[in-house]
Amino acid sequence: MRIAFYYESMNLGGQQTQTYHIIKRIPPKDHEVHMIYLYGDGMQNAIAAHAKLHQIPIHLAGKDYLFRPWKLITILRALTAYCRSNRFDIIVSGSGLGSLLCGLVARRLRIRHYRFIGCSLIQVEPTLYRFYRWICIDKLIDGYFGWQAVFEELKRKGVSQSKLFELRLCVDTTMFFPFDTPKRDAVRNSLGIFSDEIVIGWVGRIATNMQVGNTVALCKELRDLGFHRFRLLLVGGGPWFDGIQKLIRDWGLTDRTILTGWVPMSEVNQFINAMDIVPLLEEDPQGGSIVREAMACGRIALSVDGKSGTQRNFMVPGAAVLVNPQDFVQEAARVIRNLVDKKEVMWEIGAKARAYAEQHLNFQAQVDSFLRIIKAGMSANNPTASESD
């Protein structure tokens, strides 16, 4: 098969990481894989080792889809031309707007189109979700890869159960792994972190619709509880980078915070190893690659046991920490405050997290399922038919 993946940004982020791990494991002798993107420079080298890269050099920002629609038309034309010239069998999109563009291209070229769901549509793509039926976007998508909570959202918009394929949430334990103590200490020392400080970390896109703001709020809550032996380590960048710096200043956390900006993917593991606790906090989180990467690195992943139950599916007792949705920032701060003086307990949670990630969060099984489903879809007579995972 000839498979094209499309995602706007090549910067470091959860969806980009997910796409990379899928591409990395697609057998090169049986398939040709291309990655199409618009902007960003964090992951080209990693993905280029396994796929042919093609950039459409147009930057979409904010509500350009409303106020600069000619950008979408230009992207659509370029995407159509590239897909036509390369005669792809499958195109896989990774965002809401991308699913619209790729869907139009797929229907025009009569190829199949699947979408990777990387977020709750209600939380991250509220405008698209609100008008999902009105713009008939589901008619442009042959199948969705995701998990049960987002499937419930899609079914409320009329999406058929037959188009929903669950992929386990996974992590690459060969890329994300624990450092020994001397190597970890060396990374922390290079960042100016003292040995008695607890490092609370974030990795990925810094945007208002991400959970990074709640991570900063957690640190403020810790300080308000009278705990000051912490550092906040933010690894990544994005449209709210200036805004998060202002929030940090307004809350008096500047001297407690380290911001790296975007870093190469090859350096992410060392930054996670410098962390002690990696939170993903909102009322009902939907997965989150950073908590799985933290688990693989033997760090403490901290999240919320929301109504969807997504987190408890992989953040099992003893290998991660979940708090209740009510007052989750305050509850997370209390949990951390109780943990920081129990080094042996923290070490035990981290060790169990690593072991669980190695045993249960395997990417190869996910890729095998993905390939099986799209092959079945190609061979089916019905354009939206596919076999169940």
Side-chain angles (χ1 to χ4, degrees):
M1 287 187 295
R2 298 170 68 86
I3 307 171
F5 289 82
Y6 173 88
Y7 194 71
E8 290 82 0
S9 170
M10 195 64 89
N11 288 322
L12 178 68
Q15 190 71 351
Q16 295 92 326
T17 302
Q18 163 80 10
T19 303
Y20 163 72
H21 286 302
I22 293 287
I23 289 174
K24 177 181 177 180
R25 290 166 175 80
I26 293 176
K29 65 180 180 180
D30 297 324
H31 310 288
E32 181 178 329
V33 181
H34 293 227
M35 179 73 209
I36 307 166
Y37 70 104
L38 305 183
Y39 57 87
D41 58 4
M43 299 188 67
Q44 284 96 328
N45 291 340
I47 293 179
H50 309 281
K52 182 177 180 180
L53 297 183
H54 178 70
Q55 182 179 14
I56 301 172
I58 297 175
H59 194 286
L60 288 176
K63 294 189 176 182
D64 280 355
Y65 63 93
L66 288 177
F67 301 116
R68 297 175 178 83
W70 59 86
K71 286 190 174 184
L72 298 187
I73 295 171
T74 303
I75 294 168
L76 186 60
R77 287 174 175 171
L79 187 59
T80 302
Y82 187 75
C83 290
R84 179 185 286 117
S85 65
N86 284 279
R87 303 176 63 84
F88 293 118
D89 301 297
I90 302 287
I91 186 166
V92 182
S93 59
S95 68
L97 185 57
S99 67
L100 174 61
L101 296 173
C102 291
L104 291 170
V105 171
R107 292 300 175 258
R108 183 172 183 178
L109 301 182
R110 298 184 179 182
I111 62 176
R112 295 183 68 78
H113 167 224
Y114 292 86
R115 178 178 176 188
F116 274 129
I117 303 289
C119 60
S120 162
L121 276 68
I122 292 174
Q123 294 173 0
V124 181
E125 300 175 1
T127 302
L128 176 74
Y129 187 73
R130 188 179 307 120
F131 297 105
Y132 213 82
R133 289 181 188 266
W134 184 75
I135 61 178
C136 299
I137 192 171
D138 181 51
K139 294 183 181 296
L140 305 176
I141 302 173
D142 296 303
Y144 302 80
F145 293 100
W147 61 93
Q148 288 304 319
V150 294
F151 292 164
E152 293 304 316
E153 296 178 0
L154 289 166
K155 285 190 284 187
R156 290 198 290 272
K157 294 298 183 179
V159 176
S160 169
Q161 175 68 45
S162 66
K163 296 170 72 171
L164 306 177
F165 303 103
E166 184 169 4
L167 292 184
R168 293 180 57 196
L169 298 170
C170 299
V171 65
D172 186 347
T173 56
T174 64
M175 175 175 289
F176 298 101
F177 56 89
F179 285 176
D180 59 30
T181 300
K183 189 172 182 179
R184 180 169 180 265
D185 288 346
V187 175
R188 288 166 64 99
N189 289 339
S190 71
L191 295 169
I193 297 168
F194 297 116
S195 60
D196 66 338
E197 290 180 322
I198 297 297
V199 179
I200 296 167
W202 168 269
V203 180
R205 189 161 61 95
I206 295 177
T208 54
N209 62 350
M210 296 287 103
Q211 303 85 358
V212 61
N214 288 332
T215 302
V216 180
L218 169 64
C219 292
K220 179 180 181 293
E221 183 70 18
L222 282 170
R223 187 201 57 199
D224 292 348
L225 289 173
F227 182 71
H228 300 278
R229 290 187 293 108
F230 71 86
R231 289 289 186 97
L232 173 60
L233 175 55
L234 302 181
V235 179
W240 197 42
F241 193 76
D242 292 340
I244 204 73
Q245 291 185 84
K246 183 180 185 302
L247 186 66
I248 289 165
R249 288 195 302 270
D250 291 347
W251 285 349
L253 296 170
T254 302
D255 62 340
R256 299 279 87 204
T257 303
I258 302 168
L259 297 101
T260 69
W262 292 117
V263 301
M265 191 174 183
S266 59
E267 297 179 10
V268 174
N269 188 58
Q270 68 176 5
F271 284 108
I272 297 178
N273 270 275
M275 301 169 184
D276 295 291
I277 299 171
V278 180
L280 187 73
L281 301 176
E282 62 184 349
E283 188 173 352
D284 188 18
Q286 303 285 311
S289 61
I290 65 170
V291 284
R292 296 191 298 277
E293 290 159 6
M295 292 172 69
C297 291
R299 307 293 92 207
I300 295 178
L302 171 63
S303 195
V304 181
D305 188 13
K307 64 180 181 180
S308 70
T310 302
Q311 304 307 81
R312 77 175 78 109
N313 286 334
F314 68 96
M315 298 181 71
V316 297
V321 178
L322 292 175
V323 298
N324 292 322
Q326 296 79 18
D327 301 319
F328 56 84
V329 171
Q330 292 78 9
E331 182 66 18
R334 286 191 288 270
V335 167
I336 292 174
R337 189 66 188 89
N338 291 332
L339 275 175
V340 292
D341 294 323
K342 301 174 181 177
K343 298 294 186 183
E344 291 185 2
V345 173
M346 293 179 67
W347 181 90
E348 183 178 354
I349 294 172
K352 288 182 178 179
R354 172 63 185 179
Y356 184 86
E358 287 186 299
Q359 184 174 358
H360 297 287
L361 304 181
N362 188 322
F363 256 112
Q364 189 57 53
Q366 185 182 82
V367 175
D368 292 343
S369 178
F370 166 73
L371 289 174
R372 184 173 67 253
I373 289 164
I374 64 173
K375 286 178 180 178
M378 286 183 62
S379 63
N381 292 327
N382 187 323
T384 59
S386 52
E387 75 177 9
S388 177
D389 181 11

